[in-house]
């Protein structure tokens, strides 16, 4: 569903005609080598495509115009091997609609002490050429990522890779469609928001479909299709005999499988990248989608419960940004607390729908009453989640802007069995500590719903926020509450 190798980043080198043909030939040669080096690197997941050196206002404008309309170009990397007078860049940068990374590098890593002469000096000018370029980008108030270091340096490659993944997530949002079955869970504030503004700022659309539209597709699912999927369930998950074919509670699993097939068909036919539903609007459905949502998320769809389209879209972006990396990305909710002063923990979960890609080992397929919604007992996958560094992220609508809030956390293996808890669960410790982390989150207006990631870092999300023009607030190991509250206060002025 997600293939990063189809995506391209264009490598654009700036220069000028002043240097003469011989120097410009060398500039092109070096630039080709760098682009090839990045493209061939195992550390970079997208293609890096060399573009002919740009030397004039017209060439810059033309190249950026092409980048804008290229379907697979997710961003540009710019580098000034020589000096490239930056007034030439104004027209091009003015129309740039793709993310930009400014690579402040140099072809040679070392100064050739014994042979360096003025020819060398005239060719290898990024130390000042990139400053001239940086000025105009700053003067034009353009967001970009600046990466400094030799282009073969592992850390530099890692920073480019992180940005490219963020750009891929952004690219995927452009024109993306999300379905909201029914409306918001009644009276909930934080999950609601301005869908028009979101489409304008983020490029994806969220539209409501009546649950009846989905029910019609579910009802058209054939017995053979359901039978095939149940065979897959039985082969993949631990299941009690009562739930297997012929068991007395098998009908619940049958209905769940039918819902999964119907939902998948609905999403595929409509070209949707994710969805949200609500247990308050399930007319004509037998149960709330549990295992269906869990498995669709594991396959790359965005999802969040209760009409929360912002989190559904964020989960989808996480799926794209984390594609191919070890670990999972999921819809999550801060559910309940363990306030032991020596071992404070958050238990994250949801009514049903924690992403099956987080499962530590084989998940168990279970059927239990939901307790709310008044529908039949839904089938869901129950599992624990492995420990390790992770983060929670929330997009909130502040009225005049969208805010991306993240909390770095440390997930821990459960120390106790939870035999009566019929849902998948994660335990984590928020950084810098439970009290500061939770207080900062609440001061920032962060939602109870989040996108939870085991493989994305603060840097991925900082890059993503810069590209998306999102306000970015981070709660991490070094967060102090007084400073964090000031940051919120100062941002109010910045976004006035
Ligand atoms: Mn919820």
């Amino acid at each position: 569903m997600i293939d990063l190798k189809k995506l391209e980043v264009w490598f654009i080198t700036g220069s000028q005609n002043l240097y003469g043909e011989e120097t410009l030939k060398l500039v092109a040669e070096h630039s080709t080598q760098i682009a090839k080096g990045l493209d061939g690197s195992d550390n970079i997941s997208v293609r890096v495509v060399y573009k002919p050196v740009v030397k004039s206002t017209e060439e810059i404008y033309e190249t950026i115009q092409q980048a804008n309309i290229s379907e697979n170009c997710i961003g540009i990397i710019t580098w000034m091997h020589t000096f490239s007078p930056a007034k030439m860049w104004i027209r091009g940068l003015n129309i740039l609609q793709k993310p930009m990374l400014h690579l402040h590098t140099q072809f040679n890593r070392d100064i050739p002490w014994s042979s360096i002469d003025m020819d060398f000096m005239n060719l290898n000018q990024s130390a000042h050429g990139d400053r001239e370029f940086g000025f105009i980008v700053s003067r034009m108030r353009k967001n970009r990522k600046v990466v400094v270091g030799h282009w073969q340096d592992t850390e530099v490659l890692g920073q480019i890779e992180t940005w490219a993944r963020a750009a891929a997530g952004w690219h995927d949002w452009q024109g993306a469609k999300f379905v909201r079955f029914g409306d918001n869970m009644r009276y909930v504030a934080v999950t609601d928001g301005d869908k028009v503004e979101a489409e304008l700022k983020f490029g994806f659309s969220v539209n409501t479909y009546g649950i009846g539209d989905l029910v019609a597709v579910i009802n058209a699912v054939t017995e053979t299709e359901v039978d095939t999927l149940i065979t897959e369930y039985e082969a993949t998950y631990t299941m009690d005999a009562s739930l297997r074919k012929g068991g007395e509670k098998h009908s619940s699993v049958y209905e769940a499988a039918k819902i999964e097939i119907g939902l998948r068909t609905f999403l595929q036919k409509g070209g949707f990248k994710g969805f949200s539903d609500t247990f308050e609007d399930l007319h004509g459905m037998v149960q709330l989608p549990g295992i269906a949502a869990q498995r669709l998320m594991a396959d790359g769809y965005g999802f969040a419960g209760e009409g929360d389209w912002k989190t559904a879209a964020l989960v989808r972006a996480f799926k794209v940004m984390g594609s191919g990396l070890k670990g999972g990305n999921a819809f999550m909710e801060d559910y309940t607390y363990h306030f032991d002063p020596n071992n404070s923990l958050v238990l994250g979960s949801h009514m049903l729908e924690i992403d099956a890609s987080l499962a530590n080992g084989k998940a168990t397929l279970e059927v239990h009453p939901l307790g709310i919604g008044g529908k039949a007992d839904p089938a869901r996958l129950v599992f624990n989640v492995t420990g390790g560094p992770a983060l929670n992220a929330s997009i909130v609508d502040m009225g005049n802007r969208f805010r991306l809030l993240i909390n770095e956390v440390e997930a821990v293996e459960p120390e106790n069995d939870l035999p009566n808890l019929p849902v998948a669960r994660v335990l984590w410790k928020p950084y810098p500590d439970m009290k500061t982390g939770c207080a900062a989150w609440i001061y920032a207006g962060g939602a109870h719903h989040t996108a939870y990631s085991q493989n994305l870092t603060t840097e991925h999300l900082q890059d993503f926020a810069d590209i998306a023009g999102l306000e970015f607030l981070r709660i991490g190991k070094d967060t102090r509450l007084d400073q964090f509250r000031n940051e919120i206060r100062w941002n109010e002025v910045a976004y006035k």
Side-chain angles (χ1 to χ4, degrees):
M1 187 173 180
I2 298 158
D3 181 8
L4 296 180
K5 270 293 170 213
K6 276 189 191 150
L7 305 176
E8 297 175 356
V9 163
W10 287 11
F11 190 81
I12 303 172
T13 308
S15 189
Q16 61 178 328
N17 286 311
L18 188 76
Y19 296 105
E21 218 166 290
E22 210 174 305
T23 303
L24 286 172
K25 229 178 102 184
L26 277 175
V27 170
E29 266 177 42
H30 292 170
S31 177
T32 307
Q33 272 191 57
I34 295 179
K36 272 194 183 151
L38 300 180
D39 188 48
S41 166
D42 292 338
N43 297 319
I44 295 178
S45 306
V46 300
R47 305 299 311 269
V48 178
V49 178
Y50 168 80
K51 289 288 151 183
V53 177
V54 288
K55 306 170 296 293
S56 66
T57 308
E58 293 72 24
E59 286 174 4
I60 291 166
Y61 185 83
E62 172 76 11
T63 305
I64 290 181
Q65 199 175 35
Q66 291 304 317
N68 280 342
I69 59 168
S70 161
E71 207 178 315
N72 292 326
C73 173
I74 62 167
I76 62 169
I77 298 178
T78 51
W79 171 55
M80 307 303 123
H81 190 348
T82 60
F83 203 75
S84 178
K87 284 204 268 185
M88 297 193 310
W89 283 86
I90 294 173
R91 278 194 77 216
L93 291 175
N94 244 333
I95 58 157
L96 176 65
Q97 288 164 351
K98 300 269 166 105
M100 175 164 61
L101 181 146
H102 180 190
L103 181 59
H104 185 44
T105 191
Q106 192 166 268
F107 180 67
N108 56 298
R109 195 195 71 173
D110 300 337
I111 293 176
W113 303 109
S114 60
S115 65
I116 187 168
D117 56 12
M118 272 325 282
D119 284 346
F120 183 92
M121 295 280 272
N122 284 333
L123 178 64
N124 297 283
Q125 299 187 330
S126 17
H128 60 281
D130 274 330
R131 281 176 160 77
E132 163 74 355
F133 179 75
F135 162 71
I136 204 66
V137 184
S138 291
R139 168 74 193 264
M140 292 174 77
R141 274 76 174 171
K142 291 265 174 197
N143 282 355
R144 80 286 204 189
K145 181 174 193 175
V146 178
V147 175
V148 180
H150 191 250
W151 53 280
Q152 288 169 319
D153 178 65
T154 316
E155 207 176 282
V156 166
L157 293 170
Q159 286 178 283
I160 295 172
E161 160 76 348
T162 299
W163 168 83
R165 285 181 172 275
W170 174 251
H171 179 76
D172 181 74
W173 264 9
Q174 306 314 302
K177 295 193 288 179
F178 294 91
V179 188
R180 193 157 75 148
F181 294 112
D183 198 67
N184 212 40
M185 178 184 165
R186 272 188 281 278
Y187 308 116
V188 177
V190 75
T191 51
D192 225 328
D194 188 339
K195 300 203 287 294
V196 176
E197 193 62 18
E199 185 161 350
L200 219 148
K201 290 269 161 62
F202 303 140
F204 64 72
S205 64
V206 182
N207 285 292
T208 299
Y209 286 77
I211 198 74
D213 296 341
L214 173 60
V215 169
V217 181
I218 292 171
N219 288 342
V221 172
T222 66
E223 263 184 55
T224 322
E225 289 173 295
V226 178
D227 191 66
T228 309
L229 184 56
I230 289 174
T231 306
E232 189 185 326
Y233 286 176
E234 291 187 345
T236 314
Y237 311 114
T238 305
M239 281 171 75
D240 192 78
S242 66
L243 297 179
R244 291 176 170 265
K245 289 176 192 170
E248 74 265 25
K249 282 159 82 181
H250 178 67
S251 64
S252 297
V253 177
Y254 185 93
E255 289 302 334
K258 202 170 156 182
I259 291 171
E260 178 182 334
I261 296 163
L263 251 172
R264 196 180 289 274
T265 306
F266 190 98
L267 296 173
Q268 279 170 351
K269 281 196 174 153
F272 298 111
K273 288 177 174 173
F275 68 105
S276 180
D277 59 16
T278 169
F279 63 86
E280 283 183 316
D281 191 352
L282 295 174
H283 305 289
M285 280 181 79
V286 179
Q287 33 171 289
L288 176 68
I291 188 171
Q294 292 179 296
R295 284 168 48 90
L296 285 163
M297 258 188 290
D299 288 341
Y301 286 99
F303 170 82
E306 293 117 31
D308 186 353
W309 53 272
K310 293 195 297 298
T311 305
L314 190 60
V315 168
R316 168 65 189 187
F318 274 32
K319 293 284 180 188
V320 175
M321 289 192 271
S323 166
L325 296 176
K326 196 172 166 283
N329 291 285
F331 168 51
M332 190 58 68
E333 177 165 324
D334 292 73
Y335 225 97
T336 200
Y337 288 149
H338 184 59
F339 264 144
D340 176 351
N342 298 317
N343 186 29
S344 286
L345 295 163
V346 179
L347 192 150
S349 190
H350 206 255
M351 291 189 302
L352 302 171
E353 314 94 332
I354 298 304
D355 191 323
S357 68
L358 295 185
N360 188 7
K362 199 172 179 178
T364 308
L365 200 165
E366 298 182 20
V367 173
H368 303 277
L370 194 59
I372 44 176
K375 289 282 168 180
D377 301 352
R380 81 290 305 272
L381 297 170
V382 180
F383 51 85
N384 286 324
V385 174
T386 182
L391 60 82
N392 272 306
S394 167
I395 291 182
V396 290
D397 184 345
M398 294 302 291
N400 64 343
R401 64 187 185 274
F402 291 100
R403 167 178 287 169
L404 179 62
L405 173 66
I406 74 158
N407 189 186
E408 296 160 359
V409 304
E410 188 70 30
V412 294
E413 304 274 349
E415 290 165 14
N416 305 85
D417 285 337
L418 304 111
N420 293 316
L421 188 68
V423 284
R425 72 298 294 243
V426 194
L427 285 165
W428 68 76
K429 292 172 182 291
Y431 283 118
D433 57 75
M434 182 81 165
K435 286 181 179 173
T436 311
C438 294
W441 189 271
I442 285 170
Y443 277 121
H448 54 290
H449 283 173
T450 59
Y452 177 88
S453 181
Q454 294 176 320
N455 54 30
L456 299 175
T457 61
T458 296
E459 191 183 347
H460 288 103
L461 296 193
Q462 171 85 69
D463 288 353
F464 185 75
D466 283 343
I467 291 168
L470 275 157
E471 178 192 5
F472 184 70
L473 289 174
R474 179 188 71 93
I475 305 163
K477 284 178 188 166
D478 53 349
T479 295
R480 268 180 41 190
L481 203 51
D482 55 346
Q483 286 175 344
F484 188 77
R485 293 183 70 185
N486 273 336
E487 203 179 322
I488 292 173
R489 231 171 254 138
W490 296 332
N491 281 4
E492 287 305 326
V493 180
Y495 286 89
K496 262 278 180 304

